[in-house]
Amino acid sequence: MRILMLGNSLTAANDMPAMLADCIGAKVYHHTRGGARLSEQLNPNTRLGARTQEALVQENWDYVVLQEMSHGPVTAPEKFFSSVRELCGQIRTRGAVPILYATWAYQRGSAKLAAKGWDYDVMADALSAAYHKAAVENHALVADVGQRFYRLSGIQDLYADDGVHPTPSGSRLAAETIAEVIRRQVEGQNDKANL
């Protein structure tokens, strides 16, 4: 199994792609740049976009995982939905399955959340809703890591000191969540094949 992850530092932190590879027994590659949006992955005039566009056209993938900039689905929803639609189209054309990696709200009480003037619950709900809407509209799978952070952040150390990035435990939770989505999808295909 070959997996390509498209995202930014929330994907790359703590070498999460290697954690996913360990969880699922797959070859996992990632195209990431700190602060990158999915729209950059579509732009062949950027280094990241050129690399991604070449990989989507010239290589075979089983799954492609899409992760938007942390607040992008909330602050720039039109750009987010448009980028997901275009990337999912490219991914499906090549026979791969798109997975949306829904990220988390900034840590409750963090300086970053306060600086934005946002409520933790509202941000968490808005991110989850945007990713789920995009998944439904594009027939994509969704790994709602953000909702797992929401439920577990009070009892597990998931946030780094900046209140945005994950700790190694947070990255492990993300990898396990994505792996569970892939396992369920593979089991569903196998069940259909055995009918």
Side-chain angles (χ1 to χ4, degrees):
M1 180 184 304
R2 298 182 82 240
I3 299 170
L4 175 63
M5 303 189 79
L6 306 179
N8 54 45
S9 58
L10 299 183
T11 292
N14 306 304
D15 201 9
M16 191 268 281
M19 294 179 184
L20 177 59
D22 289 343
C23 285
I24 202 90
K27 292 184 179 178
V28 180
Y29 304 84
H30 64 98
H31 295 181
T32 56
R33 182 190 63 72
R37 293 180 180 260
L38 289 175
S39 59
E40 185 178 346
Q41 304 281 359
L42 288 160
N43 185 349
N45 296 319
T46 66
R47 183 180 303 165
L48 182 64
R51 184 173 170 226
T52 294
Q53 290 301 302
E54 182 178 347
L56 289 175
V57 170
Q58 296 184 4
E59 298 184 50
N60 293 317
W61 306 101
D62 296 293
Y63 296 91
V64 180
V65 179
L66 307 177
Q67 179 253 309
E68 180 59 281
M69 190 187 63
S70 63
H71 59 78
V74 177
T75 58
E78 300 84 10
K79 183 182 266 191
F80 167 67
F81 288 115
S82 173
S83 298
V84 169
R85 183 170 46 254
E86 194 168 338
L87 284 164
C88 284
Q90 291 179 335
I91 293 162
R92 289 198 175 285
T93 296
R94 299 291 296 160
V97 176
I99 300 174
L100 303 186
Y101 165 16
T103 56
W104 46 88
Y106 299 149
Q107 186 174 30
R108 188 184 303 274
S110 69
K112 184 83 169 182
L113 194 64
K116 292 283 188 187
W118 292 339
D119 176 81
Y120 176 74
D121 297 320
V122 171
M123 185 180 183
D125 289 345
L127 284 171
S128 182
Y131 274 103
H132 281 272
K133 180 179 185 219
V136 168
E137 289 178 351
N138 295 285
H139 308 287
L141 302 175
V142 63
D144 200 337
V145 178
Q147 284 301 300
R148 292 189 82 181
F149 262 62
Y150 185 81
R151 289 191 303 274
L152 298 172
S153 64
I155 56 175
Q156 290 186 19
D157 181 25
L158 302 176
Y159 288 94
D161 290 342
D162 66 1
V164 175
H165 290 87
T167 60
S169 295
S171 292
R172 172 66 59 189
L173 180 66
E176 290 169 354
T177 303
I178 295 166
E180 286 172 18
V181 168
I182 292 171
R183 283 189 204 102
R184 280 196 309 268
Q185 202 265 345
V186 168
E187 288 168 6
Q189 285 180 333
N190 289 341
D191 289 346
K192 285 179 186 175
N194 292 329
L195 290 178

